[in-house]
Amino acid sequence: AEPAQRDGHESFCLILGDTHFGDVVEKEYWSDEEGEYVTHEVYNPEIAADSVARLGEKALYFRDLMSSVATFDDVYLVILGDIGTGKEIYERQHVDTRGTLRDQIEWGVTALFQLIRTLAEEFETVQVRGVPGNHGTDKPSAAIGVNTDLITYSWVDDRLRDSGFENVDLRYSETHEHLNTTIRGWRCHVRHGHDEMEHVDETA
């Protein structure tokens, strides 16, 4: 059931997807100091974790910025999957990744737990809704239940319970690639979307 909400108040909504913990993206640029082209990592697990943390900081900044026109009694965090980047999703993926599947799950769990904790300390309730993505499988043909996103959601839920956060409600789809939920009376359909557009391939 939808949480109790007061008339005249609003729900703050955040959408997070495709953190791809494990991805490493490099960019080559010319360095006058070195006198040659050098390679710099523009995305890696550390940058991914920092980006998730900054999402929480930005959420609180915008909530405070809007406080003169809106009062929020809850926050919805909608997670669209692909928390980890997986393995064997496309040919030679190992060249672009760092860490085992377990590493990717642990990085994602730590980042999401910290984000949810930040929100739980500032909002009356935190409603987390998650769906699995296509990079959560260890093989493209794997069954929907064999998905590292689902493991991540489960571990985050366990950590929240162990930490005593009673104002967090985490729900995720275990058997489908979509989730239907209600936000302040509005019916919402959540999905990763990798199978919805022909121009989106497995590495998009």
Side-chain angles (χ1 to χ4, degrees):
E2 194 175 357
Q5 297 156 326
R6 297 188 295 276
D7 290 342
H9 290 214
E10 298 186 32
S11 297
F12 197 97
C13 297
L14 297 171
I15 299 175
L16 174 66
D18 296 271
T19 51
H20 284 262
F21 278 96
D23 266 357
V24 177
V25 179
E26 296 180 336
K27 181 179 180 181
E28 189 177 68
Y29 66 95
W30 177 260
S31 170
D32 290 333
E33 184 178 323
E34 300 289 335
E36 61 183 358
Y37 283 98
V38 296
T39 301
H40 177 67
E41 290 185 0
V42 296
Y43 197 77
N44 57 39
E46 294 78 19
I47 294 172
D50 183 61
S51 298
V52 174
R54 284 191 290 113
L55 176 64
E57 295 169 3
K58 288 182 178 180
L60 299 182
Y61 169 77
F62 282 111
R63 179 206 58 182
D64 294 343
L65 192 66
M66 299 172 66
S67 63
S68 62
V69 295
T71 301
F72 300 98
D73 55 15
D74 59 12
V75 59
Y76 279 79
L77 173 62
V78 180
I79 307 173
L80 302 181
D82 280 6
I83 301 164
T85 199
K87 297 282 187 181
E88 299 182 38
I89 306 302
Y90 59 91
E91 191 174 342
R92 291 183 54 79
Q93 185 184 17
H94 65 277
V95 176
D96 304 324
T97 59
R98 179 178 298 154
T100 64
L101 286 179
R102 181 182 178 87
D103 292 331
Q104 294 175 23
I105 292 169
E106 289 182 346
W107 292 330
V109 168
T110 299
L112 290 179
F113 173 76
Q114 295 294 343
L115 172 61
I116 295 168
R117 182 173 76 173
T118 295
L119 299 173
E121 291 173 348
E122 294 288 337
F123 290 89
E124 291 181 24
T125 64
V126 181
Q127 307 297 323
V128 184
R129 303 292 183 264
V131 294
N134 61 309
H135 273 248
T137 56
D138 63 350
K139 293 180 181 177
S141 60
I144 183 63
V146 185
N147 189 289
T148 56
D149 289 326
L150 300 181
I151 297 171
T152 301
Y153 295 141
S154 177
W155 285 14
V156 169
D157 197 27
D158 287 345
R159 188 173 294 187
L160 289 165
R161 293 175 190 274
D162 290 344
S163 301
F165 284 100
E166 297 181 359
N167 64 332
V168 178
D169 179 26
L170 191 158
R171 303 179 198 180
Y172 54 94
S173 175
E174 296 186 65
T175 57
H176 301 285
E177 293 185 336
H178 67 273
L179 178 71
N180 294 318
T181 191
T182 304
I183 301 178
R184 223 161 192 94
W186 291 87
R187 295 173 61 195
C188 300
H189 179 74
V190 182
R191 67 189 309 122
H192 183 69
H194 62 280
D195 56 351
E196 296 303 306
M197 303 177 69
E198 292 182 3
H199 68 276
V200 176
D201 64 20
E202 71 271 21
T203 65

